[in-house]
Amino acid sequence: MIALHLPARSDADAPFVTRLAAARSADEAESFCLSSASGRSLWCGMHGLFELDHAREELIGDILLVDPGAGRAERLIRAGSRHNSLLVTEQCDQLCLMCSQPPKKAHHDRFAHFEAACRLAASGSVIGLTGGEPTLHLEPLLAMLERLLGDRPDLAFHILSNGQHFDAENVARLTGRLRTNIVWGIPLYAADALLHDRIVGKPGAFERLTESLAHLLTAGARIELRTVLLRDNLGTLGGLARFVALYLSHIEQWSLMGLENIGFARRRWDDLHIDLRTEFAPVAAALDQASLHGIPARLFNIPLCHIPPAFRSFAVASISDWKQRFAPACGRCAARSDCAGFFEWHPDHLVEEVVPL
Amino acid sequence: MKKRHFLISSLVAAGIAPLPPAQGAPDGLAPTSGSGGDGDKDAMVRKFAQDHRIDLAQHRSHSSHASHSSHRSGSSGRARSPVYTPPPPRKPATRPAPTPAPAPRNERSTPPSSILPSSPAIAPNTFYSEPSAQQIRDIVMRVQLSLKAYGYYDGKIDGMVGPQTREALKRFQSDYGLKVTGTITPEVLDAFKISA
């Protein structure tokens, strides 16, 4: 697992964002390495001096938020990673059965740091924004995106949202780069309102979601629908596929996702988890239905060897680098580089059950 | 539009864009090996002490250097050749009379001879040789020493950047035309000729 938070010591008196550089440069936003030894590295820049409990090599090019008070640094944007995402808030107005990151009440506004970090990102970066529910803070979020995309039209954002807060007024701001350079990843678990509401733990969520989707699709926003595969909705996937084809055919992608064994899902694993090696049929039917209607569907978070060969082309190596792991037997698998693998926290006994391809 | 293009290309030039993989990064700064650490430190102490001989000479007439005189009070510096004649203590009230101070206090009030113009060979390097688990402390202490030598700092050499060190840094940065941050910037390290 790749460490995203590093113990750190700094002489600064306030948190700051900086990019780590191999050599000294004239760029005031950069810090360069003074020395590195035995798992520690010492850096210096215009924000001051700081030491990280991590060797220098893997950090070059990373964009860090150094928090002297907390004694840690957060690798906001890691160089060369395709899986950088910024945690906008831990608040959420839904309470999903399988929530991987259960919500908290407090919100710490870090938009200024995120904006600084995005401005330092490599050209063409795709940056994830996640939560909690980012659109609980939609006004500052959109304002940040407007400023950033105004100055950095090369950047693109993937924003995870429960789709409970879009209306005609705020969607009207999704024009220009805010329309073309943002993909909204929005969960929809069932075509049945009651079932969806039960899964997300919020009465009326389905209705509010479809309203948001209507606004977003009218505005031409790019939408990725996300459906986590659960014991609860497995039997209704066919209906969901027809619903998506009928009403939401303009989405950019429909992602069917394997369950993540963390957060709430951890203690409900046995109730929620489905073994796709034996129960793939409903998923296959949904994928066929989507294909038939030209809906680009994808399978996330499922190792290739758990998917019937005919459906492996739907699979995406989707698990973020920092939380991805493989079984020892995966070492001799020819398809490993194309495979999602497992989540770091996937139950150990299940990780063992792989068939090298 | 033109402006945007320029901005992007200058960002690219600044190294934001396509970075080589971490492994391929140039090894500009070879990490110091664990075993070689002590030898390097000695070299640094010598270099540092020599720098100070010059700096202190320049600062002789500086009125703000009353504090320096008191450094010698507890040290054995007097016995050596009088390279540096301290002006009479200005604030005798703030410090105890120059009697042989007990050991603990003396260690705290620090580097008597190492910052004074004495031979590098005599300069005690116990101050540096104490194994410091944290590199950052080491550098901060050296910066505090330098600030003290330049007359900007009169606090403890404790390797911790507190309000007093921050204030000293700000005044130093301001006086020397550096960007005023109150932190240890590359410019500050340059000015004090400190490297890790």
Side-chain angles (χ1 to χ4, degrees):
Chain A
M1 196 157 146
I2 299 171
L4 300 185
H5 294 94
L6 309 172
R9 291 157 295 282
S10 162
D11 71 328
D13 58 354
F16 61 90
V17 170
T18 186
R19 184 176 53 226
L20 303 183
R24 187 163 172 178
S25 76
D27 190 339
E28 293 200 352
E30 287 195 331
S31 300
F32 67 98
C33 189
L34 286 175
S35 69
S36 176
S38 59
R40 282 221 184 91
S41 50
L42 186 64
W43 306 78
C44 190
M46 290 313 280
H47 293 285
L49 191 67
F50 57 97
E51 186 176 33
L52 304 173
D53 284 359
H54 202 289
R56 153 186 186 275
E57 278 66 27
E58 291 167 15
L59 299 176
I60 300 295
D62 280 10
I63 298 163
L64 258 59
L65 171 59
V66 181
D67 188 342
R72 70 173 191 177
E74 188 176 342
R75 298 166 78 183
L76 291 180
I77 301 179
R78 283 170 297 122
S81 171
R82 292 167 54 249
H83 305 283
N84 288 307
S85 63
L86 308 174
L87 184 76
V88 171
T89 182
E90 293 189 273
Q91 294 174 321
C92 189
D93 54 341
Q94 292 190 161
L95 204 59
C96 299
L97 282 179
M98 65 300 184
C99 181
S100 58
Q101 191 155 4
K104 294 180 182 169
K105 281 187 181 162
H107 171 66
H108 304 288
D109 189 319
R110 305 200 295 167
F111 281 115
H113 294 312
F114 293 156
E115 183 169 344
C118 291
R119 286 182 188 278
L120 297 177
S123 181
S125 295
V126 179
I127 298 163
L129 296 175
T130 180
E133 175 48 44
T135 64
L136 287 176
H137 305 275
L138 194 56
E139 169 51 40
L141 176 68
L142 289 179
M144 178 183 81
L145 291 167
E146 283 162 353
R147 286 191 300 271
L148 277 173
L149 288 171
D151 296 340
R152 290 287 307 271
D154 59 299
L155 295 179
F157 294 91
H158 182 260
I159 307 176
L160 293 180
S161 168
N162 60 19
Q164 297 293 301
H165 302 279
F166 292 100
D167 56 30
E169 199 181 326
N170 55 42
V171 163
R173 291 169 75 174
L174 303 181
T175 59
R177 297 287 176 194
L178 267 74
R179 181 173 60 82
T180 57
N181 292 23
I182 298 174
V183 174
W184 299 90
I186 299 179
L188 173 63
Y189 298 117
D192 173 36
L194 290 178
L195 178 55
H196 176 86
D197 289 358
R198 188 171 68 74
I199 292 173
V200 303
K202 182 184 170 190
F206 181 87
E207 201 177 323
R208 186 63 188 86
L209 171 59
T210 48
E211 190 190 323
S212 285
L213 289 172
H215 287 301
L216 288 166
L217 288 171
T218 307
R222 300 169 63 185
I223 295 172
E224 175 207 13
L225 279 184
R226 315 187 113 204
T227 305
V228 176
L229 301 170
L230 303 165
R231 170 69 52 214
D232 303 66
N233 66 356
L234 187 66
T236 66
L237 280 181
L240 182 57
R242 284 188 294 278
F243 181 87
V244 171
L246 199 55
Y247 299 112
L248 303 170
S249 58
H250 291 85
I251 59 165
E252 186 149 309
Q253 179 171 305
W254 182 24
S255 306
L256 298 167
M257 313 175 67
L259 184 62
E260 199 171 342
N261 182 33
I262 195 167
F264 290 158
R266 202 175 190 105
R267 52 185 152 102
R268 297 179 178 148
W269 180 259
D270 291 336
D271 295 334
L272 297 174
H273 178 246
I274 41 181
D275 189 342
L276 292 180
R277 289 172 300 172
T278 54
E279 297 187 77
F280 197 78
V283 180
L287 290 173
D288 283 342
Q289 188 74 237
S291 301
L292 196 62
H293 290 91
I295 307 287
R298 294 284 180 272
L299 270 176
F300 277 22
N301 310 345
I302 314 287
L304 284 170
C305 58
H306 288 199
I307 303 170
F311 291 91
R312 281 179 191 156
S313 61
F314 287 96
V316 179
S318 54
I319 296 179
S320 299
D321 53 3
W322 62 272
K323 55 178 178 180
Q324 181 188 38
R325 73 160 163 161
F326 288 95
C330 295
R332 50 197 164 87
C333 175
R336 179 176 155 142
S337 61
D338 300 321
C339 184
F342 295 93
F343 287 106
E344 180 68 30
W345 29 78
H346 205 70
D348 286 335
H349 67 281
L350 294 178
V351 172
E352 297 301 320
E353 298 183 24
V354 294
V355 184
L357 301 175
Chain B
M1 219 40 208
K2 257 189 171 176
K3 204 176 174 186
R4 278 184 187 170
H5 278 139
F6 175 73
L7 174 68
I8 304 281
S9 57
S10 64
L11 286 170
V12 171
I16 294 183
L19 284 159
Q23 285 179 328
D27 253 328
L29 293 148
T32 48
S33 68
S35 58
D38 287 344
D40 290 352
K41 269 186 185 169
D42 285 346
M44 184 52 63
V45 171
R46 274 193 294 280
K47 189 180 168 195
F48 189 63
Q50 277 170 2
D51 283 347
H52 272 280
R53 186 198 298 261
I54 297 159
D55 294 339
L56 283 173
Q58 284 174 345
H59 275 239
R60 264 190 166 199
S61 57
H62 235 249
S63 59
S64 68
H65 272 253
S67 60
H68 278 161
S69 58
S70 59
H71 279 289
R72 300 197 71 183
S73 57
S75 77
S76 57
R78 253 162 218 267
R80 288 200 292 276
S81 54
V83 195
Y84 176 73
T85 313
R90 292 211 175 180
K91 293 179 270 180
T94 58
R95 297 220 179 214
T99 47
R105 196 202 152 272
N106 211 11
E107 277 165 25
R108 278 179 62 231
S109 80
T110 15
S113 38
S114 71
I115 64 160
L116 291 177
S118 58
S119 155
I122 313 173
N125 49 13
T126 49
F127 183 67
Y128 294 92
S129 63
E130 184 171 332
S132 164
Q134 297 175 352
Q135 295 172 301
I136 190 167
R137 244 187 112 229
D138 206 55
I139 301 267
V140 171
M141 281 159 92
R142 281 146 71 180
V143 169
Q144 286 174 328
L145 265 180
S146 303
L147 285 169
K148 196 160 215 167
Y150 276 61
Y152 286 88
Y153 181 65
D154 196 21
K156 282 191 220 166
I157 308 295
D158 57 4
M160 313 275 282
V161 176
Q164 224 180 333
T165 308
R166 216 177 289 289
E167 203 46 48
L169 280 165
K170 280 182 188 160
R171 279 188 286 119
F172 174 77
Q173 287 169 325
S174 173
D175 287 358
Y176 281 74
L178 311 180
K179 190 176 174 184
V180 179
T181 63
T183 56
I184 298 169
T185 61
E187 293 177 342
V188 171
L189 295 184
D190 284 353
F192 291 141
K193 297 189 174 62
I194 294 174
S195 61

